């Protein structure tokens, strides 16, 4: 039996969107012999989130000290067992597309040399319309260092989206989870993964990325110049250092 755990960080303002995330997860169909679990971690300790978490044996809910989504996701790893093969990110306000988890499983089980996958992402706008990214790479292998190179050349914007990440659990653990930053923690992990292991990009959309006024990336602090430059410097330095190393999946060649 293979198992993929979907990890979701959530705080009070985004908790009402969990029902849509949950619906998209329930509709996923996996290859024979595989199952999924959902690990939901509140960023903080309040009474605002728990009422929105579904009561289901496949769902685990936890709380912890507030530290941002990266801290919440990394704390959630304490409830991702050693028997788990893959970890898939799903932010509380986003939704998986049909077949997204199955595509992740099929790629990573058939290509043991790969460490992670991402997929095409569609922005879900408040009016219900969907908009794609105009710099998606072709479907296929993402070579080591390719994400960093594009990110450096395009004002710190990667060509693949970290919110659609699926990664081997042991590789995620080896890199220490998400980068310890107040934001861009998912980009930091993505560039670290790409520095040590090849990945895969799904050309078919795997995520609906909700755009709404309360999301963290829409707040002024996210684009404040001094902090943004500091975050990018940390992300870049880590990726460059890891690029001089090499990860090898035990099942690979």
């Amino acid at each position: 039996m293979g198992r993929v755990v979907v990890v979701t960080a959530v705080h009070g303002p985004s908790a009402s969107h969990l029902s849509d995330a949950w619906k998209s997860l329930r509709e996923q169909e996996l290859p024979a012999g595989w199952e999924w679990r959902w690990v939901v971690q509140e960023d903080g300790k309040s009474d605002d989130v728990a009422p929105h978490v579904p009561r289901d044996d496949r769902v685990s809910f936890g709380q912890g000290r507030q530290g941002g989504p990266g801290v919440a996701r990394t704390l959630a790893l304490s409830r991702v067992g050693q028997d788990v093969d893959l970890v898939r990110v799903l932010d509380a306000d986003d939704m998986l597309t049909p077949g997204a988890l199955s595509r992740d499983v099929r790629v990573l089980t058939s290509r043991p040399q790969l460490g992670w996958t991402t997929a095409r992402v569609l922005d879900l706008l408040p009016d219900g319309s969907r908009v794609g990214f105009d710099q998606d790479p072709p479907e296929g292998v993402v070579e080591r260092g390719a994400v960093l190179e594009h990110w450096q050349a395009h004002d710190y914007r990667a060509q693949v989206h970290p919110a659609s990440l699926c990664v081997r659990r042991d590789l995620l653990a080896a890199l220490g989870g998400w980068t310890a930053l107040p934001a861009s923690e998912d980009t930091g992990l993505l560039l670290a993964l790409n520095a040590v292991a090849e990945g895969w990009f799904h050309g078919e959309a795997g995520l609906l990325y909700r755009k709404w006024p309360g999301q963290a990336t829409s707040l002024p602090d996210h684009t404040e110049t001094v902090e943004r430059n500091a975050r990018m410097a940390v992300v870049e330095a880590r990726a460059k250092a890891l690029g001089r190393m090499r990860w090898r999946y035990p099942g690979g060649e």
Side-chain angles (χ1 to χ4, degrees):
M1 175 70 73
R3 179 173 293 179
V4 54
V5 168
V6 178
V7 171
T8 296
V10 59
H11 66 331
S14 61
S16 62
H17 295 301
L18 282 174
S19 59
D20 288 337
W22 170 233
K23 181 177 183 295
S24 76
L25 182 54
R26 291 200 317 272
E27 294 173 350
Q28 297 295 307
E29 296 183 1
L30 292 178
W34 278 78
E35 64 179 13
W36 56 260
R37 292 289 186 270
W38 195 21
V39 174
V40 180
Q41 181 73 26
E42 180 179 356
D43 180 28
K45 299 178 181 179
S46 74
D47 298 324
D48 300 329
V49 174
H52 297 277
V53 179
R55 304 295 188 266
D56 190 289
D57 290 342
R58 297 168 293 180
V59 181
S60 169
F61 174 64
Q63 296 174 307
R65 285 190 291 170
Q66 187 173 20
V71 170
R73 293 191 204 102
T74 302
L75 281 175
L77 294 181
S78 67
R79 290 180 283 121
V80 174
Q82 297 295 313
D83 60 337
V84 170
D85 301 276
L86 306 175
V87 175
R88 179 56 147 89
V89 177
L90 177 61
D91 289 346
D93 48 3
D94 294 342
M95 288 164 279
L96 299 170
T97 62
L101 290 187
S102 179
R103 290 189 289 274
D104 290 334
V105 169
R106 292 186 188 282
V107 164
L108 290 174
T109 54
S110 64
R111 295 172 172 84
Q113 76 277 16
L114 302 181
W116 53 276
T117 70
T118 56
R120 184 167 185 252
V121 171
L122 299 177
D123 287 344
L124 178 62
L125 304 183
D127 64 3
S129 60
R130 302 176 182 184
V131 179
F133 182 50
D134 62 2
Q135 297 178 33
D136 285 333
E139 175 162 307
V141 174
V142 181
E143 301 292 342
R144 286 182 66 199
V147 180
L148 174 63
E149 182 178 349
H150 185 281
W151 179 84
Q152 290 172 319
H154 293 81
D155 192 32
Y156 305 134
R157 187 172 187 182
Q159 76 274 45
V160 294
H161 206 305
S164 66
L165 178 69
C166 184
V167 57
R168 298 189 191 277
R169 183 201 60 81
D170 61 342
L171 178 56
L172 178 60
L175 291 176
W178 284 262
T179 310
L181 292 170
S184 307
E185 77 296 328
D186 52 357
T187 299
L189 173 60
L190 174 64
L191 265 66
L193 290 167
N194 180 234
V196 299
E198 294 175 333
W200 181 272
F201 177 75
H202 298 290
E204 187 171 352
L207 186 76
L208 298 182
Y209 183 81
R210 189 191 303 271
K211 295 283 191 176
W212 60 289
Q215 65 185 143
T217 53
S218 70
L219 302 178
D221 285 349
H222 187 73
T223 55
E224 192 276 323
T225 302
V226 174
E227 186 196 278
R228 181 175 185 266
N229 289 342
R231 297 197 315 263
M232 300 307 108
V234 171
V235 167
E236 184 173 30
R238 183 190 188 196
K240 286 182 174 179
L242 286 169
R244 296 187 286 270
M245 305 176 186
R246 177 74 178 182
W247 172 84
R248 188 176 298 278
Y249 177 56
E253 297 180 357

